[in-house]
Amino acid sequence: MQYKEAKEKFISTWGSLGTLWGINKAMAQIQSLLFISTKALSMEEIMEELKISRGNTSMNLRQLMDWGIVTKELIPGERKEYFTTEKDVQELARHIAKERSRREIKPVIKILKEVSSIKDDGTEKTKELIKQTKALHDLAETADAMMNKIVNQEQTWITKSLLKLIK
């Protein structure tokens, strides 16, 4: 397999996997292109490479910056904006885990707490709802706390965390 084919395959695959870590295909493809790029890329270069519209590129770059995994880079003498992404795989995973917790897990924990705190009217169905949603709340809160502890570890957090689990 030559470089061009390998690059296209990587970008396509990473794009498909994007939904697993909470972003859309175009966002994942932009991030993967920046990830393997040897230099910061302009919006026009990204659009041309991925064959996507200016609006789609702009919107997805903004969202990637909101996630904290893409940043603007100033190039002296250039008027265009250039973009780059986190190159350290473990740091990238930390950003994604933190953002997923903030966007997805914490809102669910809040709702589960509200639902499990309803007034017990003494009926069997209310007791069951409270019991099951409290159990889910406790599980989600524990999982989120564990993930936050792992994410807040130093640079080699994955390796250290896995070693702690194995021991």
Side-chain angles (χ1 to χ4, degrees), residues 119-155:
K119 185 178 178 192
D120 185 350
D121 63 7
T123 65
E124 191 176 328
K125 62 184 179 182
T126 300
K127 288 180 188 280
E128 186 67 12
L129 175 66
I130 292 170
K131 176 183 151 192
Q132 297 299 21
T133 56
K134 173 114 177 68
L136 282 173
H137 171 267
D138 293 347
L139 176 65
E141 201 167 55
T142 300
D144 191 47
M146 286 174 45
M147 180 56 77
N148 286 329
K149 188 172 182 172
I150 291 170
V151 164
N152 290 323
Q153 295 291 319
E154 289 300 312
Q155 195 104 34

Coordinates of all heavy atoms in Angstrom, one line a residue, residues 119-155:
K119 N -40.4 11.9 45.4 CA -41.1 11.5 46.6 C -41.7 10.1 46.5 O -42.3 9.7 45.5 CB -42.3 12.5 46.9 CG -43.0 12.3 48.2 CD -44.0 13.3 48.4 CE -44.7 12.9 49.7 NZ -46.0 13.7 49.9
D120 N -41.4 9.3 47.5 CA -41.9 7.9 47.6 C -43.3 8.0 48.0 O -43.6 8.3 49.1 CB -41.0 7.1 48.5 CG -41.4 5.6 48.5 OD1 -42.4 5.3 47.9 OD2 -40.6 4.9 49.1
D121 N -44.2 7.6 47.1 CA -45.6 7.6 47.4 C -46.1 6.3 48.0 O -47.3 6.1 48.2 CB -46.5 8.0 46.2 CG -46.3 7.0 45.0 OD1 -45.7 5.9 45.2 OD2 -46.8 7.3 43.9
G122 N -45.2 5.4 48.2 CA -45.5 4.1 48.8 C -45.9 3.0 47.8 O -46.0 1.9 48.2
T123 N -46.1 3.3 46.6 CA -46.5 2.3 45.6 C -45.2 1.5 45.2 O -44.1 2.0 45.3 CB -47.1 2.9 44.3 OG1 -46.1 3.7 43.7 CG2 -48.3 3.8 44.7
E124 N -45.5 0.3 44.8 CA -44.4 -0.6 44.4 C -43.7 -0.1 43.1 O -42.4 -0.1 43.1 CB -45.0 -2.0 44.0 CG -44.0 -3.0 43.9 CD -44.6 -4.4 43.6 OE1 -45.6 -4.7 44.2 OE2 -43.9 -5.2 42.9
K125 N -44.4 0.5 42.2 CA -43.8 1.0 41.0 C -42.9 2.2 41.3 O -41.8 2.4 40.7 CB -44.8 1.3 39.9 CG -45.8 2.4 40.2 CD -46.8 2.5 39.0 CE -47.8 3.6 39.3 NZ -48.8 3.7 38.3
T126 N -43.3 3.1 42.2 CA -42.4 4.2 42.6 C -41.2 3.7 43.3 O -40.1 4.2 43.0 CB -43.2 5.2 43.5 OG1 -44.4 5.7 42.7 CG2 -42.4 6.4 43.9
K127 N -41.4 2.8 44.2 CA -40.2 2.2 44.9 C -39.2 1.6 44.0 O -38.0 1.8 44.1 CB -40.6 1.2 46.0 CG -41.4 1.8 47.2 CD -41.8 0.7 48.1 CE -42.6 1.2 49.2 NZ -41.9 1.8 50.3
E128 N -39.7 0.9 43.0 CA -38.8 0.3 42.0 C -38.1 1.3 41.1 O -36.9 1.2 40.9 CB -39.6 -0.7 41.1 CG -38.8 -1.5 40.1 CD -37.9 -2.5 40.8 OE1 -38.0 -2.8 42.0 OE2 -37.0 -3.1 40.1
L129 N -38.8 2.4 40.7 CA -38.2 3.4 39.9 C -37.1 4.1 40.7 O -36.0 4.3 40.2 CB -39.2 4.5 39.5 CG -38.7 5.7 38.8 CD1 -38.1 5.4 37.4 CD2 -39.8 6.8 38.7
I130 N -37.4 4.4 42.0 CA -36.3 5.0 42.8 C -35.1 4.1 43.0 O -34.0 4.5 42.9 CB -37.0 5.4 44.2 CG1 -38.0 6.6 44.0 CG2 -35.9 5.8 45.2 CD1 -38.8 6.9 45.3
K131 N -35.4 2.8 43.3 CA -34.3 1.9 43.6 C -33.4 1.7 42.3 O -32.2 1.8 42.4 CB -35.0 0.5 43.9 CG -34.0 -0.6 44.1 CD -34.7 -1.9 44.4 CE -33.9 -3.1 43.9 NZ -34.6 -4.3 43.9
Q132 N -34.0 1.5 41.2 CA -33.2 1.3 40.0 C -32.5 2.5 39.5 O -31.4 2.4 39.1 CB -34.1 0.7 38.9 CG -34.8 -0.6 39.2 CD -33.7 -1.8 39.4 OE1 -32.6 -1.5 39.7 NE2 -34.2 -3.0 39.3
T133 N -33.2 3.7 39.5 CA -32.5 4.9 39.1 C -31.4 5.3 40.1 O -30.4 5.8 39.7 CB -33.5 6.0 38.8 OG1 -34.2 6.3 40.0 CG2 -34.4 5.7 37.7
K134 N -31.6 5.0 41.4 CA -30.5 5.3 42.3 C -29.3 4.4 42.1 O -28.2 4.8 42.1 CB -31.0 5.1 43.8 CG -30.0 5.2 44.8 CD -30.2 6.3 45.8 CE -29.2 6.4 46.9 NZ -27.9 6.7 46.5
A135 N -29.6 3.1 41.8 CA -28.5 2.2 41.5 C -27.7 2.6 40.2 O -26.5 2.6 40.2 CB -29.0 0.8 41.3
L136 N -28.5 3.1 39.2 CA -27.8 3.6 38.0 C -27.0 4.9 38.3 O -25.9 5.0 37.8 CB -28.8 3.8 36.9 CG -29.3 2.6 36.1 CD1 -30.5 3.0 35.2 CD2 -28.2 2.0 35.3
H137 N -27.6 5.7 39.1 CA -26.9 7.0 39.4 C -25.6 6.7 40.1 O -24.6 7.2 39.8 CB -27.8 7.8 40.4 CG -27.1 9.0 40.9 ND1 -26.5 8.9 42.2 CD2 -26.9 10.3 40.5 CE1 -25.9 10.1 42.4 NE2 -26.2 10.9 41.4
D138 N -25.7 5.8 41.1 CA -24.4 5.4 41.9 C -23.4 4.8 41.0 O -22.2 5.2 41.1 CB -24.8 4.5 43.0 CG -25.6 5.2 44.1 OD1 -25.8 6.4 44.1 OD2 -26.2 4.4 44.9
L139 N -23.8 3.9 40.1 CA -22.9 3.3 39.1 C -22.2 4.4 38.2 O -21.0 4.4 38.0 CB -23.6 2.2 38.3 CG -22.7 1.6 37.2 CD1 -21.6 0.8 37.8 CD2 -23.6 0.7 36.3
A140 N -23.1 5.2 37.6 CA -22.6 6.3 36.7 C -21.6 7.2 37.4 O -20.6 7.6 36.9 CB -23.7 7.0 36.1
E141 N -22.0 7.6 38.6 CA -21.1 8.5 39.4 C -19.8 7.9 39.7 O -18.8 8.5 39.6 CB -21.9 8.9 40.7 CG -21.4 10.2 41.3 CD -22.3 10.8 42.3 OE1 -22.6 10.0 43.3 OE2 -22.7 11.9 42.2
T142 N -19.8 6.6 40.1 CA -18.6 5.9 40.4 C -17.7 5.8 39.2 O -16.5 6.0 39.2 CB -18.9 4.5 41.0 OG1 -19.6 4.7 42.2 CG2 -17.6 3.7 41.3
A143 N -18.3 5.4 38.0 CA -17.6 5.3 36.8 C -17.0 6.6 36.4 O -15.8 6.7 35.9 CB -18.5 4.7 35.7
D144 N -17.7 7.7 36.5 CA -17.2 9.0 36.1 C -16.1 9.4 37.1 O -15.1 10.0 36.6 CB -18.4 10.0 36.2 CG -18.0 11.4 35.6 OD1 -17.4 11.4 34.5 OD2 -18.3 12.4 36.2
A145 N -16.2 9.2 38.3 CA -15.1 9.5 39.3 C -13.9 8.7 39.0 O -12.8 9.3 39.0 CB -15.6 9.2 40.7
M146 N -14.0 7.4 38.6 CA -12.9 6.6 38.2 C -12.2 7.2 37.0 O -11.0 7.3 36.9 CB -13.3 5.1 38.0 CG -13.6 4.4 39.3 SD -14.2 2.7 39.1 CE -13.2 2.1 37.8
M147 N -13.0 7.5 36.0 CA -12.5 8.1 34.7 C -11.8 9.4 35.0 O -10.7 9.6 34.5 CB -13.6 8.2 33.7 CG -13.1 8.8 32.4 SD -11.8 7.8 31.6 CE -12.8 6.5 30.9
N148 N -12.4 10.2 35.8 CA -11.7 11.5 36.1 C -10.4 11.3 36.8 O -9.4 12.0 36.6 CB -12.6 12.4 37.0 CG -13.8 13.0 36.2 OD1 -13.6 13.2 35.0 ND2 -14.9 13.2 36.8
K149 N -10.3 10.3 37.7 CA -9.1 10.0 38.4 C -8.0 9.6 37.4 O -6.9 10.0 37.4 CB -9.3 8.9 39.5 CG -8.1 8.7 40.3 CD -8.4 7.8 41.5 CE -7.1 7.7 42.3 NZ -7.3 7.0 43.6
I150 N -8.4 8.7 36.5 CA -7.5 8.2 35.4 C -7.0 9.4 34.5 O -5.9 9.6 34.2 CB -8.1 7.1 34.6 CG1 -8.3 5.8 35.5 CG2 -7.3 6.8 33.4 CD1 -9.1 4.8 34.8
V151 N -8.0 10.2 34.1 CA -7.7 11.3 33.2 C -6.8 12.3 33.8 O -6.0 12.9 33.1 CB -9.1 11.9 32.7 CG1 -8.8 13.3 32.1 CG2 -9.8 11.0 31.7
N152 N -6.9 12.5 35.1 CA -6.1 13.5 35.7 C -4.7 13.0 36.1 O -3.9 13.8 36.7 CB -6.8 14.1 37.0 CG -8.0 14.9 36.6 OD1 -8.0 15.6 35.6 ND2 -9.1 14.8 37.3
Q153 N -4.3 11.8 35.7 CA -3.0 11.3 36.0 C -2.0 12.0 35.0 O -2.4 12.7 34.1 CB -2.9 9.8 35.7 CG -3.7 9.0 36.6 CD -3.2 8.9 38.0 OE1 -2.0 8.9 38.2 NE2 -4.0 9.0 39.0
E154 N -0.7 11.8 35.3 CA 0.3 12.4 34.4 C 0.2 11.9 33.0 O -0.6 11.1 32.7 CB 1.7 12.2 35.0 CG 1.9 13.0 36.3 CD 1.8 14.5 36.1 OE1 2.5 15.0 35.1 OE2 1.2 15.1 36.9
Q155 N 1.2 12.3 32.2 CA 1.2 12.0 30.7 C 1.0 10.5 30.4 O 0.3 10.2 29.4 CB 2.6 12.4 30.2 CG 2.6 12.5 28.7 CD 2.5 13.9 28.2 OE1 3.1 14.8 28.8 NE2 1.9 14.2 27.1

